[in-house]
Amino acid sequence: MQEIYNKLNDYLNDICMYLEKMHPFLIEHIDEIARLNDAFLNFLNDYSLESLTKQNHLTYVDVYFLARKIIEQIDQDYLVSYDKLIENGELDFSYDCAYYNSACISIYKNGEAIKNFININREFNYNDVRLLVHEFIHSIHGKKMTTNGIFFSEFLSIYFELYATDFLLKKGINPEEIEYLYRIRNTKQQASFLSQYELVLLSYIKFGNLGEDSVSFLQKYILNIQKEDFEKECITLYQNLRKGELKNQERIEHHPKARGSILAEEFIALNYKYVLGTFLALYARKYCNFNTIVDLNNHIHDQENKTIFEICSSIGIDLKEKDFSKKLFMALEEYLNTQMKLAKIK
């Protein structure tokens, strides 16, 4: 087992150096994030999140103009950029799942995005509209690379995606043509991935190099985890990092100093951003002012001198509030119950 610890320490040294620079919130608050992540998974045990999606005959033109109507409701100024998507060749719909996933891809030069591409894997229902809104928001606040912009990127896109879902449901669109539980189901998947290695990452961040003493430190200061369970997490994380290294072998060989960033972005940063982004979006949907979130979306890159706590506080989210997690799960419960009621699911 010591050999696994040694190899993990080598990986995590590079990864955490990158996380400290680009995702410091994860490094500084890994213990609170792990607890909230586990509570989220436990909460969802009482809900069925199975997909009920049906296809219809929406054309790409229908999708484009309905998403445009939602974008206009968010901020009319966005239409200047939105209306150029097709003209500039920045929007592409796949008819045969040509893309691994729907995404906004930005090409950067000197920290500025010189080109954005939005690729939508069509599902031939109103889910395409929701996805287009999500990815368009990415294209707006993804024009620069700033630490706070990166942290809030998924929150902002998911928040307006939830707005799009609410918009469509209120218009009387068949819920089975919207995939209204997609975001919760997707976040549950990301949270499940995070739960597989969160204690290993926590142990390395809090107590240093992994070794035979790591379990005793966790048991004394964090929770009573069994040695066998911790070792299993270590083996799983090592195997996933090794797969990531092999998958990106050519990139790493050309840029060996980027190994930490490449491996971190392979899944760790992704899992963490989606989970926290959904938590903040659900909270903001219930407790925050819509126009305040729009304003944040427009000025997120101008706030590099502020902390995550200060930015959240400015939009009505007090991360230090004693009842924050309680209010979060109230917002999650309300979202699930409201959507299921609209879908007439008991």
Side-chain angles (χ1 to χ4, degrees), residues 108-130:
Y108 291 92
K109 183 177 181 180
N110 299 323
E112 297 280 343
I114 58 176
K115 193 73 172 178
N116 289 312
F117 297 95
I118 296 177
N119 299 330
I120 303 294
N121 258 347
R122 287 217 60 193
E123 298 184 19
F124 298 94
N125 53 37
Y126 291 92
N127 200 33
D128 298 336
V129 177
R130 179 185 58 75

Side-chain angles (χ1 to χ4, degrees), residues 33-90:
I33 292 170
R35 282 195 290 269
L36 203 57
N37 189 62
D38 292 345
F40 172 73
L41 290 172
N42 289 332
F43 181 91
L44 291 181
N45 284 335
D46 295 331
Y47 289 87
S48 172
L49 303 177
E50 62 180 299
S51 174
L52 299 171
T53 305
K54 292 182 178 179
Q55 291 188 334
N56 57 29
H57 300 289
L58 276 181
T59 68
Y60 78 89
V61 175
D62 296 328
V63 173
Y64 176 84
F65 280 106
L66 186 49
R68 187 184 189 278
K69 185 176 294 186
I70 296 172
I71 296 297
E72 184 178 22
Q73 293 295 312
I74 296 172
D75 190 331
Q76 289 186 349
D77 290 343
Y78 292 169
L79 294 181
V80 175
S81 297
Y82 186 82
D83 288 341
K84 292 180 180 179
L85 289 177
I86 296 178
E87 176 185 340
N88 295 341
E90 297 176 349

Side-chain angles (χ1 to χ4, degrees), residues 101 132 168 225 277 286 314 331 343 345:
N101 204 351
L132 180 51
L168 293 170
I225 185 174
K286 179 172 175 60
S314 72
I345 296 177

Side-chain angles (χ1 to χ4, degrees), residues 135-196:
E135 300 305 340
F136 176 73
I137 297 299
H138 271 312
S139 75
I140 290 177
H141 59 74
K143 293 181 178 179
K144 293 182 180 180
M145 290 285 283
T146 61
T147 303
N148 286 338
I150 291 170
F151 177 86
F152 285 101
S153 62
E154 290 303 334
F155 156 59
L156 292 166
S157 281
I158 293 170
Y159 175 85
F160 291 113
E161 172 192 326
L162 296 180
Y163 174 82
T165 302
D166 288 336
F167 180 94
L168 293 170
L169 287 170
K170 289 175 182 177
K171 282 181 63 70
I173 302 300
N174 183 354
E176 295 180 8
E177 297 179 22
I178 300 175
E179 186 74 282
Y180 66 97
L181 291 177
Y182 166 85
R183 179 51 52 196
I184 305 301
R185 188 170 60 253
N186 177 265
T187 304
K188 180 181 180 181
Q189 183 183 52
Q190 300 292 337
S192 297
F193 292 152
L194 180 57
S195 72
Q196 293 175 10

